[in-house]
Every structure is written in C-alpha cells, then in structure tokens.
Amino acid sequence: MDRNSTIGLVLIGLIITVFSVMNQPSEAELKAAQKKEAAAAQKAEKKDKQAKTVAKTPSQSNANNASQVVKKGEITTIGNDELRIELNSKGGMLAGVYLKSYKSYKDFVAQKDNDLCLFEDGDAHNQLVLSTVKGKIYTKSYLFDLVKSTKSKAIYEAHFDQGTIRQTYELKKGHDLSYHIEVLDNKGFILDNTLFNWSADFKKTERLFSEQRRVSTICYNQTESGLDYLSETSSESGVTEENIEWVAFKQSYFSAILHPTQAFAKKGTKFYIQNFGEGHPQAWTHLKGYHATMALEFQNNQASFNWFFGPNDYEVLKSYNSGYDDILNFGWGLFRWINIYAVQPIFNLLIDNGMAIGWAILVLTLILKTILMPVQWKMFVSSVKMRILKPEIDELNAKYPKKEDAMKKQMETMTLYRESGASPLSGCVPMLIQMPILLAVFRFFPAAFELRQKGFLWAEDLSSFDSILDFGFYIPIYGDHISLFTLLMAGTTLAYTYMNSGNMQTPQQPGMPDMRVIMYIFPFMMIFFFNNYSAGLSYYYFISTLLSIVMMVLIKQFFVNEDKLKVKMAERKANNAANPKVKKKSKFQERLEEMQRQQQEMLKNRKK
C-alpha cells in the first residue's frame, strides 16, 4: 500500500470518527438543551396551573356547556391483529398505543409476552382548540360520551352551546387507525381558526437508551420542499413556511405518523421536541416529549386523518407511497442511494428466502466484496508496484535532500512512475471508490429494522451491542461492557494494517508524522467508538476486513507474481529509455516544469 493509499484509508477512519463525534451532543448543545428544558418546564408548569384552574372552575364563556370539565375519564380499548388502542373519554382522546407483534427489550430478555408500548394513558393527548366569539375551547379537558363501541371502533361525542363535536376512531388492517372529526349543528364554532394539538412522550423500548434517544425526533413532510425534521440531539422548536402533508413522531425502530386528508395549513403549525435531561421525572423511562400544533382544514365541517403506528421497516413504510420511508436515516445523497437501491434490496432478498440474519450479513458482505474485487485487485497491484519502486524513490530522496531541489525530485519521480507504468493515484482512487459503500453501510445497519431482536452466535440482539462482560460501572467514552464483535473488528483491522505496513514509507522530513504509527492507532480508536454501536455493524466490518485479508493473500499467492511484475516493469523502463517517444506533456507536468523554472529564477535573483 503506497502512501496515498494509506492517506485515503486514514481519511476513511477520520470520516467515520467525525460521523461518530458529530452524532454526540456537544457540551454547548447540552447546556443549551438544559436551558430550553428549564424554560419548557416552567412553561408547562404554568400551563398545568392554568389547566387545573379551568378544571376546577370552567371559564365563564363555557360555563353553560352541557359537557363537563373533568379530571379523569374512562378507558375504552379497541384492537386488531397488530394494534391495541386505549381511548379516554376525557377529551375523547387517544391515550395509549400497544403493538402486538413486538416486545420491548426488557420483555424480550425476560421472555415475557407483553405488547410493546409506545405510550400509555397519561403520556399523550390529542385535542381540538376551537374558537368561538366568547373565547377558545380546549377539548382535552371536557368529558366526551362514548355513544358507540365495537372491537375495532369507538365514537365519542361532546355537546357544547356552539354545537356537538363527534370523534370517531376505527382500526383498519395492519398498523392504521382512522380518525374522523365532525362538527354537528354548528352554531358558534369558528372552524377557520381551529388548531389540532398532538403530544406524546414515547417510552423506552430498546437496550441502549442513549442510542434510541439520540435518533428520536419529529419529522414532517412539506408539500413542496419534502422532508424536514427537528434536532435529534437537543430540544428544539420549529415552524414551517409550507403546508404539511404528514407529521411523524419518530424513534429508533418505531414511529407514529399522522396523515390528514387535507394538508395542515402552514399558518399556526409548529413543532417542539423536548429532551428529558437529568433530574426530569421521565429521564430514565421515556425518550423525549413530542409536541405538534397543526392548523386544521375542515371540509363541510369534517376533518379526517390516518394514524400509522408501527415499525420503521423500509418495506412497510415504502408500501404507503407517501414518502414515509424518508424518515429512515440511511444517510444522505449517494450514501442513501447505495443503501436503498443496492444494500437494502440484496439484504431483503436474502432474508425473504429464509436466511438467518447473521448469515444474510455474511452473504451480503461476500457479494459486496466480490463486486469490489476489481478495485481490490487494482489497489494490490498498485501497492506491489510502489513497493518495487521504493528503493529507487529512496535514492531520489537521498539525491535531492534540499528543499530547493523539491521540484527536480518531483519531476524525476514522475518520470520514474511513467516509465515504469506505476502511478500513486492508481492505489488511492480505488480506495475512494470504496468509501461510499463503507459509509453507506455505516448508516444502514444501525437503521435496519430487520436486525432488531435477532440473535447470532453470542449476540442476543444484532441491533444493539454484543456484551460478553458487563462491568457494573461506566468508563467514559468506552462504556460499561465489552463488545466482542468490536474487538474482532479491531483485531482484523490491526492485522490488515500489519500486512500493509511494509508499503508505508517513513517520513523523509523532520516534523512529518509517521503514517505507520497513525495506522496502528486507528484500530484501537475503533474499540472505543464502536463499543456501543450495533453488533450487526461491527460484525459486518469484521467480516469485510477478514475477507480483504483473504483476498489479498489469494491475489498475492495465485494471481500476481511480484518477481515477474518487477521484471516486466524493468523491461518497460529499459524500452522507454532506449526508444524515447515524443509524448505530449500533461498539464500537471507542464505546471511542475513552470514552477521549477520560476523557482530557479528566484534562486538566481537571490544570489545576485
């Protein structure tokens, strides 16, 4: 491996490192988040006091309403094969959501057959904010009558002086809940100014709480600009300049998506994501607080929605043809395209044919490495050529030790490369070709729902870390456990580095870093940065690096004869020297010669 190839590999490591660091909130962000949380807590406390005041003494404008302001309502449950929904007569609102086909990590380990809870009664509310000539009515505080109930449907009504509010919840097949609002006998509601509030505090469901919380946020799809989202690392509020097609309360592996029949109007629509910092009563039980206020568009005194409560599974979200799959963090630009159009289809094909997840990752790695085989071949041949030329390069470095001879040394070095048929870029460029795949996979496995609660070898859950030893205490940066797949990944990377260390040149000038030392440090850095990452990701990198070592050995032993290549390069160099051809100089060579000429003129002027 030549020096440029080494630099390319270091760049890959630095990019991955930067990705990891960027995903961690800075101290400034944490402080800012704490300030926002404190302000939000004060604001919430103020609202709670106001709500309690309203609950005790209804406002004068609504004192004669038939529906009563209540503190507590009755819970009604509806369900289908996938969902169990709890509804509260207080506000006629959605109180709890349970997914029957999934379990929390806690229940998964304990082998308990409990439905996964996204949020329960007390964690969420949805309400209408209705305008009247006398003031506003907040429906979450009023008692709704359950006028009809079946296994999959519930209808609530509340009667006001201005008219009757009817809310209908009906479960469809799968993960969909139909929600319909109707205003009957409207005598005083100003529907043009109606707002719809939806808030939910999602519960912890995964093993690594910090990772689950890190990727949780509010996403919303704008009618013109497409997907946008709030910060994943700190509390943040946001408004939109466009109408909103749908809103998603997203966490690592599950989401709740509200999709209205008529887009939410931009005026009055706003979102807020709240981090639960240390000291918050929900800091260790809930992910974040999701809050959305949307401007509601009524058609003939009616508004309809579809609620999706389900997994962040690419195939499931894609089936809605509404852009729901955009919430999956598969990376941006080229990286996302590679994951969606290459990695994901191959991975799904393997799984759909009954292959276990661990073996599917192995076969996927084999396929990707086979596709990149020509690139690996090119890199290895370039590495061998540079190693053959190393003695002559060292002679040139000894011949031109002075800085003022740098241009001459560079020119003769390029001539040597050209006559021998070698190029330092031929090893670096193939490495750059591999970078998009390396970075795409870095995003794919942590976001792949297929890995959730799927075991392989000693890893009980490939979507989380594979712990072979729990310390019982936390080590800064590293964690509270030892991940074996991470150690194996670092070990194979160290072995691969050692195999290529002979191609790394020692620094020729004082103060220049020794690339060999840097390359040996990199595997140890990986132990710290990947210890808390998905075991599936570490397993992939381990297999990928191991295959690279095997391919290198096979190429060296059976396909590339270094002695023959050395003779061939010598013959080419001799032929070029004996039969020089007039070749058009490249622009780069012309620039080098011009720079050399200018440098010589400057030296002459100094001597004068």
Side-chain angles (χ1 to χ4, degrees):
M1 182 183 293
D2 55 77
R3 185 173 181 177
N4 286 312
S5 299
T6 303
I7 293 174
L9 188 58
V10 172
L11 288 175
I12 294 174
L14 290 176
I15 290 173
I16 294 176
T17 301
V18 170
F19 268 41
S20 302
V21 174
M22 287 178 64
N23 285 327
Q24 302 294 331
S26 65
E27 186 176 351
E29 288 176 330
L30 290 173
K31 290 182 179 179
Q34 290 174 355
K35 290 182 180 179
K36 286 184 178 181
E37 289 165 10
Q42 292 178 357
K43 188 175 181 180
E45 185 178 355
K46 184 177 180 181
K47 285 185 177 180
D48 288 341
K49 289 180 179 179
Q50 292 175 348
K52 289 177 181 178
T53 302
V54 172
K56 291 178 180 178
T57 307
S59 62
Q60 185 176 358
S61 61
N62 298 316
N64 297 323
N65 281 325
S67 293
Q68 298 178 349
V69 177
V70 295
K71 292 184 179 181
K72 188 177 181 180
E74 295 183 355
I75 299 296
T76 298
T77 301
I78 59 176
N80 63 8
D81 292 339
E82 295 290 345
L83 297 174
R84 176 163 60 89
I85 303 294
E86 292 182 348
L87 304 169
N88 196 328
S89 60
K90 178 187 176 182
M93 59 190 178
L94 182 65
V97 174
Y98 299 82
L99 279 65
K100 295 182 177 180
S101 298
Y102 306 98
K103 302 177 183 178
S104 67
Y105 178 79
K106 182 178 179 180
D107 289 335
F108 168 70
V109 173
Q111 297 183 344
K112 293 183 179 179
D113 194 22
N114 296 326
D115 300 337
L116 183 143
C117 177
L118 287 184
F119 53 84
E120 60 186 359
D121 185 35
D123 292 335
H125 75 263
N126 56 282
Q127 69 164 344
L128 294 172
V129 182
L130 295 158
S131 297
T132 69
V133 293
K134 296 182 179 180
K136 293 185 181 296
I137 293 177
Y138 297 83
T139 60
K140 75 171 184 178
S141 299
Y142 287 85
L143 180 66
F144 279 67
D145 297 323
L146 180 63
V147 297
K148 183 179 180 180
S149 176
T150 66
K151 290 182 178 179
S152 60
K153 185 176 181 179
I155 300 176
Y156 289 93
E157 288 185 358
H159 305 284
F160 299 89
D161 293 341
Q162 296 83 3
T164 298
I165 304 299
R166 175 183 292 172
Q167 299 184 84
T168 303
Y169 298 88
E170 184 174 8
L171 279 169
K172 302 178 183 178
K173 292 183 179 180
H175 301 92
D176 295 325
L177 173 66
S178 173
Y179 177 45
H180 184 74
I181 303 172
E182 187 175 4
V183 180
L184 305 176
D185 301 323
N186 186 11
K187 300 175 183 177
F189 291 124
I190 305 173
L191 299 182
D192 291 341
N193 296 325
T194 303
L195 296 176
F196 182 72
N197 292 150
W198 177 33
S199 296
D201 299 339
F202 275 16
K203 297 179 72 69
K204 173 186 176 182
T205 60
E206 308 305 317
R207 181 181 194 178
L208 189 57
F209 197 16
S210 59
E211 179 66 14
Q212 186 184 13
R213 177 174 280 171
R214 184 182 64 82
V215 297
S216 300
T217 189
I218 295 177
C219 301
Y220 49 94
N221 200 61
Q222 302 172 107
T223 53
E224 298 295 334
S225 302
L227 186 75
D228 201 352
Y229 55 92
L230 300 184
S231 172
E232 294 179 330
T233 57
S234 62
S235 299
E236 184 183 22
S237 59
V239 295
T240 176
E241 296 181 355
E242 301 176 22
N243 294 344
I244 301 298
E245 292 182 347
W246 49 262
V247 179
F249 289 179
K250 170 187 170 291
Q251 52 130 307
S252 55
Y253 291 113
F254 298 95
S255 290
I257 304 176
L258 180 64
H259 194 155
T261 302
Q262 296 290 328
F264 294 122
K266 61 182 179 181
K267 185 178 180 181
T269 297
K270 54 187 178 180
F271 309 103
Y272 176 62
I273 187 75
Q274 178 187 5
N275 276 6
F276 297 142
E278 187 175 351
H280 193 281
Q282 294 176 309
W284 300 105
T285 58
H286 293 70
L287 293 175
K288 294 181 180 181
Y290 300 78
H291 308 278
T293 297
M294 286 83 68
L296 203 56
E297 293 284 344
F298 277 94
Q299 296 288 330
N300 299 322
N301 292 343
Q302 299 180 51
S304 297
F305 312 81
N306 184 78
W307 246 312
F308 168 86
F309 299 104
N312 292 338
D313 186 307
Y314 176 79
E315 296 298 331
V316 173
L317 297 177
K318 184 69 175 178
S319 66
Y320 284 82
N321 295 317
S322 297
Y324 291 174
D325 53 296
D326 289 340
I327 69 175
L328 298 180
N329 192 1
F330 280 163
W332 51 271
L334 177 61
F335 309 127
R336 186 176 184 84
W337 298 340
I338 291 173
N339 282 327
I340 290 177
Y341 299 113
V343 179
Q344 179 76 34
I346 296 173
F347 195 55
N348 282 350
L349 179 64
L350 297 173
I351 295 173
D352 292 342
N353 282 291
M355 189 174 292
I357 293 293
W359 294 110
I361 294 175
L362 174 60
V363 175
L364 173 67
T365 310
L366 285 169
I367 293 172
L368 294 178
K369 296 302 289 186
T370 301
I371 294 173
L372 292 173
M373 178 69 172
V375 176
Q376 183 106 11
W377 180 292
K378 187 72 174 176
M379 289 175 58
F380 181 78
V381 172
S382 174
S383 174
V384 172
K385 287 182 178 181
M386 296 303 295
R387 184 166 60 248
I388 291 172
L389 293 177
K390 188 175 183 298
E392 296 182 63
I393 298 296
D394 292 340
E395 289 179 5
L396 288 175
N397 289 330
K399 183 179 178 181
Y400 299 107
K402 298 180 180 180
K403 291 184 179 180
E404 53 266 26
D405 294 329
M407 288 297 173
K408 290 182 180 180
K409 180 173 67 175
Q410 185 67 29
M411 289 294 295
E412 292 194 24
T413 301
M414 291 189 63
T415 302
L416 176 63
Y417 287 152
R418 186 174 64 253
E419 292 180 350
S420 303
S423 172
L425 293 179
S426 62
C428 187
V429 172
M431 183 170 292
L432 293 177
I433 294 174
Q434 294 186 87
M435 276 184 58
I437 295 179
L438 287 171
L439 296 179
V441 173
F442 181 77
R443 284 296 190 185
F444 175 77
F445 283 111
F449 184 82
E450 293 83 358
L451 270 64
R452 185 179 186 270
Q453 295 182 1
K454 295 296 190 300
F456 183 66
L457 299 178
W458 57 85
E460 61 183 2
D461 184 356
L462 286 172
S463 69
S464 182
F465 56 83
D466 57 307
S467 176
I468 59 169
L469 177 64
D470 294 325
F471 300 142
F473 55 89
Y474 182 80
I475 299 176
I477 301 178
Y478 185 67
D480 59 359
H481 62 275
I482 295 177
S483 172
L484 182 53
F485 274 131
T486 300
L487 293 180
L488 291 174
M489 175 186 63
T492 52
T493 304
L494 186 63
Y496 187 76
T497 301
Y498 175 77
M499 292 177 65
N500 289 280
S501 60
N503 303 326
M504 302 179 193
Q505 300 180 11
T506 56
Q508 301 297 324
Q509 298 179 6
M512 290 291 290
D514 191 337
M515 298 302 297
R516 294 174 298 181
V517 175
I518 295 176
M519 291 306 297
Y520 278 117
I521 291 175
F522 178 60
F524 292 100
M525 293 172 57
M526 296 173 71
I527 295 175
F528 290 92
F529 287 112
F530 282 84
N531 194 57
N532 288 325
Y533 270 76
S534 160
L537 179 65
S538 299
Y539 169 54
Y540 167 81
Y541 281 138
F542 160 58
I543 295 297
S544 180
T545 308
L546 185 62
L547 289 175
S548 294
I549 294 174
V550 173
M551 289 169 64
M552 181 180 294
V553 172
L554 292 176
I555 291 172
K556 183 177 181 179
Q557 293 293 327
F558 301 104
F559 298 101
V560 177
N561 189 310
E562 186 170 336
D563 293 332
K564 290 182 178 180
L565 184 60
K566 186 175 182 179
V567 172
K568 186 177 180 179
M569 291 174 64
E571 289 176 352
R572 176 170 177 168
K573 182 180 177 182
N575 290 335
N576 287 330
N579 303 299
K581 297 180 180 179
V582 179
K583 294 183 178 180
K584 185 179 179 181
K585 297 178 181 179
S586 66
K587 293 183 179 180
F588 180 66
Q589 189 174 1
E590 290 176 353
R591 285 197 296 268
L592 280 177
E593 290 180 351
E594 178 62 22
M595 291 172 65
Q596 183 180 8
R597 186 187 62 78
Q598 292 177 1
Q599 187 181 39
Q600 290 174 348
E601 289 182 358
M602 291 175 61
L603 289 173
K604 289 179 181 179
N605 293 332
R606 287 179 182 177
K607 290 179 180 179
K608 292 179 180 180

